[in-house]
């Protein structure tokens, strides 16, 4: 290959983070904010100024939207480190290229890293396995190697394996196994399952888990008397009743293959159809569900029609002799009109003095009769009489 190209590819490869693990072994990679911080501000360190930025990570297999099936990612808070963890199986052997997008939550800078995980051939077989439930832990608190070592030493003591190592096979949050999200209160934890494996057979202590007495007590009381669990750190104490032994040393019997028939139904015989159920009388149901509601609806309908048509307010017939209320109204209006008309006809009568416009209330004086006479022709009365001197006898022409 050309020189430049080789150099470029070497540089690219060098930029990747590399990791190695084996089939059946727990893989943990901690995404440390501290190291990514210097990638965001590579020169700030020289001035002695280092931020502690909140960061989140997005991880996916290269060219794929999600992580490989065996790998999981967790981060509790942007101010905590993230973890990639999981146990690869036989079919996961080979290289897995993980893209890690780092997002700085202070500056919103992002950059991408590549993590190349090489999954090697299966390591030593761990036929004797056991799973323990740590109720006082959260997955992020167990994944750091120091805590894993603590737990491993506790279990090694229970296993009685001084010479042969006990290895962590799998760690998973109880939430992944159908556990419930705890209350957000101190003293409430999600719980973590830790699966350990060893080449050495179980100790007497662990074999107590198999005794029928243990199961009875756990079912009845939720606590077993044969509890021989060890925990140096109280947070790592396990729930003895939830511990299980998984013995993989015995070969798993293969599932019996289903027996195939000839594919042809046997001829002959007589097909006896199943008897139909006895017929049922639905008459009562019919009356109850159709006829009675129908009759009730009909009665209500008639009642409503009667109320609406014959008993409407204002149409009530009081008596045969008295007219309708509407007619009565009509008559009163007519009568009132007649009355007004006759009153209008009697306008010639002299009006009361006080209603006359030129009557002087103090002196009792009034206008000359001629003026008054003229004024009785109301259509010629000027609207504003004050313009004319009331004391002159001259008339406005
Ligand atoms: C590890 O635990 C997870 C979650 O319970 C499970 O899905 C996975 O199959 C386990 N892996 C192994 C190798 O046991
Ligand atoms: C632990 O074991 C008890 C009793 O065997 C059971 O009722 C409980 O559901 C188990 N808890 C978990 C988280 O597995």
């Amino acid at each position: 290959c050309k020189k430049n190209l080789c150099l470029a590819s070497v540089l690219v490869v060098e930029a990747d983070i590399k990791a190695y693990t084996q089939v059946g072994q727990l893989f943990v990679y901690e995404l440390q904010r501290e190291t990514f911080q210097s990638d965001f501000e590579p020169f700030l360190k020289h001035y002695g100024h280092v931020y502690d930025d909140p960061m989140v990570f997005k991880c996916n297999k290269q060219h794929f939207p999600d992580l490989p099936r065996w790998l999981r990612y967790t981060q509790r808070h942007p101010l905590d480190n993230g973890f990639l963890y999981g146990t690869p199986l036989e079919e996961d052997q080979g290289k897995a290229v993980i893209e890690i997008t780092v997002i700085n939550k202070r500056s919103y800078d992002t950059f991408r890293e590549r993590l190349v995980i090489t999954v090697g051939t299966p390591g030593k077989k761990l036929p004797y396995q056991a799973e323990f439930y740590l109720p006082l832990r959260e997955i992020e608190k167990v994944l750091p190697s120091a805590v894993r070592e603590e737990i491993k030493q506790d279990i090694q003591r229970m296993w009685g394996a001084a010479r042969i190592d006990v290895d962590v096979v799998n760690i998973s949050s109880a939430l992944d196994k159908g556990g419930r999200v705890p209350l957000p209160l101190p003293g409430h934890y999600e719980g973590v399952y830790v699966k350990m494996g060893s080449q050495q057979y179980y100790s007497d202590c662990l074999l107590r888990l198999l005794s029928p007495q243990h199961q009875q007590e756990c079912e009845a009381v939720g606590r077993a008397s044969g509890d021989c669990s060890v925990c140096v750190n109280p947070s790592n104490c396990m729930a003895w009743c939830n511990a299980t032994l998984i013995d993989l040393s015995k070969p798993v019997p293969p599932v019996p293959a289903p027996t195939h028939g000839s594919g042809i139904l046997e001829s002959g015989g007589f097909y006896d159809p199943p008897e139909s159920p006895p017929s049922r009388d639905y008459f009562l149901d019919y009356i109850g569900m159709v006829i009675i509601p129908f009759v009730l609806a009909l009665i209500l309908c008639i009642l409503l029609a009667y109320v609406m048509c014959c008993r409407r307010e204002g149409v009530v017939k009081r008596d045969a002799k008295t007219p309708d209320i509407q007619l009565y109204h009509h008559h009163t209006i007519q009568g009132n009109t007649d009355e007004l008309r006759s009153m209008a006809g009697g306008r010639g009568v002299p009006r009361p003095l006080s209603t006359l416009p030129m009557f002087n209330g103090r002196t009792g004086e009034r206008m000359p009769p001629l003026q008054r006479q003229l004024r009785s022709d109301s259509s010629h009365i000027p609207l504003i009489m004050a313009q004319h001197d009331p004391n002159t006898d001259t008339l406005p022409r």
Side-chain angles (χ1 to χ4, degrees), residues 277-291:
S279 61
R280 212 181 125 190
D281 189 11
Y282 286 105
F283 184 67
L284 277 180
D285 301 64
Y286 177 70
I287 287 183
M289 294 170 74
V290 178
I291 299 294

PDB file of all heavy atoms in Angstrom, residues 277-291:
ATOM      1  N   PRO A 277     -75.715 -28.764  21.356  1.00  0.00           N
ATOM      2  CA  PRO A 277     -76.313 -28.576  22.680  1.00  0.00           C
ATOM      3  C   PRO A 277     -77.836 -28.532  22.586  1.00  0.00           C
ATOM      4  O   PRO A 277     -78.390 -28.205  21.523  1.00  0.00           O
ATOM      5  CB  PRO A 277     -75.752 -27.224  23.133  1.00  0.00           C
ATOM      6  CG  PRO A 277     -75.302 -26.542  21.894  1.00  0.00           C
ATOM      7  CD  PRO A 277     -74.922 -27.601  20.931  1.00  0.00           C
ATOM      8  N   PRO A 278     -78.532 -28.901  23.678  1.00  0.00           N
ATOM      9  CA  PRO A 278     -80.007 -28.934  23.643  1.00  0.00           C
ATOM     10  C   PRO A 278     -80.572 -27.555  23.328  1.00  0.00           C
ATOM     11  O   PRO A 278     -79.996 -26.534  23.710  1.00  0.00           O
ATOM     12  CB  PRO A 278     -80.395 -29.394  25.058  1.00  0.00           C
ATOM     13  CG  PRO A 278     -79.210 -29.083  25.903  1.00  0.00           C
ATOM     14  CD  PRO A 278     -78.019 -29.239  25.022  1.00  0.00           C
ATOM     15  N   SER A 279     -81.688 -27.547  22.605  1.00  0.00           N
ATOM     16  CA  SER A 279     -82.283 -26.259  22.233  1.00  0.00           C
ATOM     17  C   SER A 279     -82.834 -25.582  23.488  1.00  0.00           C
ATOM     18  O   SER A 279     -83.242 -26.233  24.451  1.00  0.00           O
ATOM     19  CB  SER A 279     -83.393 -26.470  21.216  1.00  0.00           C
ATOM     20  OG  SER A 279     -84.400 -27.270  21.788  1.00  0.00           O
ATOM     21  N   ARG A 280     -82.884 -24.318  23.433  1.00  0.00           N
ATOM     22  CA  ARG A 280     -83.256 -23.567  24.623  1.00  0.00           C
ATOM     23  C   ARG A 280     -84.451 -22.702  24.296  1.00  0.00           C
ATOM     24  O   ARG A 280     -84.586 -22.217  23.163  1.00  0.00           O
ATOM     25  CB  ARG A 280     -82.066 -22.704  25.047  1.00  0.00           C
ATOM     26  CG  ARG A 280     -81.981 -22.488  26.522  1.00  0.00           C
ATOM     27  CD  ARG A 280     -80.806 -21.604  26.846  1.00  0.00           C
ATOM     28  NE  ARG A 280     -81.249 -20.453  27.607  1.00  0.00           N
ATOM     29  CZ  ARG A 280     -80.487 -19.410  27.879  1.00  0.00           C
ATOM     30  NH1 ARG A 280     -79.257 -19.369  27.421  1.00  0.00           N
ATOM     31  NH2 ARG A 280     -80.956 -18.404  28.578  1.00  0.00           N
ATOM     32  N   ASP A 281     -85.322 -22.519  25.265  1.00  0.00           N
ATOM     33  CA  ASP A 281     -86.508 -21.687  25.046  1.00  0.00           C
ATOM     34  C   ASP A 281     -86.156 -20.232  25.358  1.00  0.00           C
ATOM     35  O   ASP A 281     -85.765 -19.920  26.477  1.00  0.00           O
ATOM     36  CB  ASP A 281     -87.628 -22.178  25.977  1.00  0.00           C
ATOM     37  CG  ASP A 281     -88.939 -21.485  25.631  1.00  0.00           C
ATOM     38  OD1 ASP A 281     -88.972 -20.830  24.566  1.00  0.00           O
ATOM     39  OD2 ASP A 281     -89.889 -21.599  26.422  1.00  0.00           O
ATOM     40  N   TYR A 282     -86.288 -19.404  24.336  1.00  0.00           N
ATOM     41  CA  TYR A 282     -85.892 -17.999  24.527  1.00  0.00           C
ATOM     42  C   TYR A 282     -87.092 -17.076  24.717  1.00  0.00           C
ATOM     43  O   TYR A 282     -86.940 -15.872  24.669  1.00  0.00           O
ATOM     44  CB  TYR A 282     -85.073 -17.519  23.314  1.00  0.00           C
ATOM     45  CG  TYR A 282     -83.678 -18.090  23.290  1.00  0.00           C
ATOM     46  CD1 TYR A 282     -83.338 -19.109  22.419  1.00  0.00           C
ATOM     47  CD2 TYR A 282     -82.705 -17.606  24.150  1.00  0.00           C
ATOM     48  CE1 TYR A 282     -82.067 -19.640  22.404  1.00  0.00           C
ATOM     49  CE2 TYR A 282     -81.427 -18.133  24.140  1.00  0.00           C
ATOM     50  CZ  TYR A 282     -81.110 -19.153  23.267  1.00  0.00           C
ATOM     51  OH  TYR A 282     -79.850 -19.672  23.264  1.00  0.00           O
ATOM     52  N   PHE A 283     -88.297 -17.686  24.901  1.00  0.00           N
ATOM     53  CA  PHE A 283     -89.498 -16.833  24.935  1.00  0.00           C
ATOM     54  C   PHE A 283     -89.471 -15.830  26.090  1.00  0.00           C
ATOM     55  O   PHE A 283     -89.721 -14.639  25.903  1.00  0.00           O
ATOM     56  CB  PHE A 283     -90.742 -17.723  25.026  1.00  0.00           C
ATOM     57  CG  PHE A 283     -92.021 -16.915  24.962  1.00  0.00           C
ATOM     58  CD1 PHE A 283     -92.368 -16.239  23.789  1.00  0.00           C
ATOM     59  CD2 PHE A 283     -92.858 -16.806  26.068  1.00  0.00           C
ATOM     60  CE1 PHE A 283     -93.523 -15.477  23.734  1.00  0.00           C
ATOM     61  CE2 PHE A 283     -94.010 -16.045  26.011  1.00  0.00           C
ATOM     62  CZ  PHE A 283     -94.343 -15.381  24.837  1.00  0.00           C
ATOM     63  N   LEU A 284     -89.104 -16.346  27.279  1.00  0.00           N
ATOM     64  CA  LEU A 284     -89.083 -15.456  28.454  1.00  0.00           C
ATOM     65  C   LEU A 284     -88.053 -14.345  28.274  1.00  0.00           C
ATOM     66  O   LEU A 284     -88.306 -13.194  28.595  1.00  0.00           O
ATOM     67  CB  LEU A 284     -88.780 -16.257  29.717  1.00  0.00           C
ATOM     68  CG  LEU A 284     -89.982 -16.954  30.346  1.00  0.00           C
ATOM     69  CD1 LEU A 284     -89.555 -17.709  31.599  1.00  0.00           C
ATOM     70  CD2 LEU A 284     -91.085 -15.959  30.697  1.00  0.00           C
ATOM     71  N   ASP A 285     -86.908 -14.729  27.728  1.00  0.00           N
ATOM     72  CA  ASP A 285     -85.878 -13.713  27.485  1.00  0.00           C
ATOM     73  C   ASP A 285     -86.408 -12.671  26.498  1.00  0.00           C
ATOM     74  O   ASP A 285     -86.144 -11.477  26.639  1.00  0.00           O
ATOM     75  CB  ASP A 285     -84.632 -14.373  26.901  1.00  0.00           C
ATOM     76  CG  ASP A 285     -84.073 -15.421  27.832  1.00  0.00           C
ATOM     77  OD1 ASP A 285     -84.779 -16.439  28.084  1.00  0.00           O
ATOM     78  OD2 ASP A 285     -82.950 -15.240  28.322  1.00  0.00           O
ATOM     79  N   TYR A 286     -87.137 -13.171  25.483  1.00  0.00           N
ATOM     80  CA  TYR A 286     -87.672 -12.270  24.468  1.00  0.00           C
ATOM     81  C   TYR A 286     -88.627 -11.263  25.111  1.00  0.00           C
ATOM     82  O   TYR A 286     -88.538 -10.059  24.887  1.00  0.00           O
ATOM     83  CB  TYR A 286     -88.384 -13.105  23.406  1.00  0.00           C
ATOM     84  CG  TYR A 286     -89.048 -12.277  22.346  1.00  0.00           C
ATOM     85  CD1 TYR A 286     -88.282 -11.562  21.423  1.00  0.00           C
ATOM     86  CD2 TYR A 286     -90.430 -12.206  22.257  1.00  0.00           C
ATOM     87  CE1 TYR A 286     -88.881 -10.802  20.450  1.00  0.00           C
ATOM     88  CE2 TYR A 286     -91.041 -11.438  21.290  1.00  0.00           C
ATOM     89  CZ  TYR A 286     -90.262 -10.734  20.383  1.00  0.00           C
ATOM     90  OH  TYR A 286     -90.856  -9.981  19.438  1.00  0.00           O
ATOM     91  N   ILE A 287     -89.512 -11.769  25.980  1.00  0.00           N
ATOM     92  CA  ILE A 287     -90.461 -10.868  26.645  1.00  0.00           C
ATOM     93  C   ILE A 287     -89.715  -9.875  27.516  1.00  0.00           C
ATOM     94  O   ILE A 287     -89.958  -8.667  27.479  1.00  0.00           O
ATOM     95  CB  ILE A 287     -91.481 -11.696  27.470  1.00  0.00           C
ATOM     96  CG1 ILE A 287     -92.439 -12.385  26.524  1.00  0.00           C
ATOM     97  CG2 ILE A 287     -92.211 -10.821  28.470  1.00  0.00           C
ATOM     98  CD1 ILE A 287     -93.529 -13.155  27.193  1.00  0.00           C
ATOM     99  N   GLY A 288     -88.760 -10.397  28.263  1.00  0.00           N
ATOM    100  CA  GLY A 288     -88.040  -9.529  29.192  1.00  0.00           C
ATOM    101  C   GLY A 288     -87.202  -8.477  28.493  1.00  0.00           C
ATOM    102  O   GLY A 288     -87.106  -7.344  28.956  1.00  0.00           O
ATOM    103  N   MET A 289     -86.603  -8.833  27.367  1.00  0.00           N
ATOM    104  CA  MET A 289     -85.642  -7.921  26.748  1.00  0.00           C
ATOM    105  C   MET A 289     -86.237  -7.086  25.633  1.00  0.00           C
ATOM    106  O   MET A 289     -85.673  -6.051  25.287  1.00  0.00           O
ATOM    107  CB  MET A 289     -84.440  -8.707  26.209  1.00  0.00           C
ATOM    108  CG  MET A 289     -83.640  -9.341  27.322  1.00  0.00           C
ATOM    109  SD  MET A 289     -82.423 -10.461  26.706  1.00  0.00           S
ATOM    110  CE  MET A 289     -81.242  -9.307  26.062  1.00  0.00           C
ATOM    111  N   VAL A 290     -87.356  -7.544  25.032  1.00  0.00           N
ATOM    112  CA  VAL A 290     -87.911  -6.788  23.891  1.00  0.00           C
ATOM    113  C   VAL A 290     -89.288  -6.220  24.205  1.00  0.00           C
ATOM    114  O   VAL A 290     -89.521  -5.011  24.106  1.00  0.00           O
ATOM    115  CB  VAL A 290     -87.950  -7.690  22.630  1.00  0.00           C
ATOM    116  CG1 VAL A 290     -88.560  -6.935  21.474  1.00  0.00           C
ATOM    117  CG2 VAL A 290     -86.557  -8.151  22.280  1.00  0.00           C
ATOM    118  N   ILE A 291     -90.198  -7.095  24.624  1.00  0.00           N
ATOM    119  CA  ILE A 291     -91.600  -6.674  24.721  1.00  0.00           C
ATOM    120  C   ILE A 291     -91.788  -5.641  25.837  1.00  0.00           C
ATOM    121  O   ILE A 291     -92.362  -4.575  25.607  1.00  0.00           O
ATOM    122  CB  ILE A 291     -92.512  -7.901  24.964  1.00  0.00           C
ATOM    123  CG1 ILE A 291     -92.393  -8.866  23.794  1.00  0.00           C
ATOM    124  CG2 ILE A 291     -93.950  -7.473  25.167  1.00  0.00           C
ATOM    125  CD1 ILE A 291     -92.909  -8.345  22.479  1.00  0.00           C
TER     126      ILE A 291
END
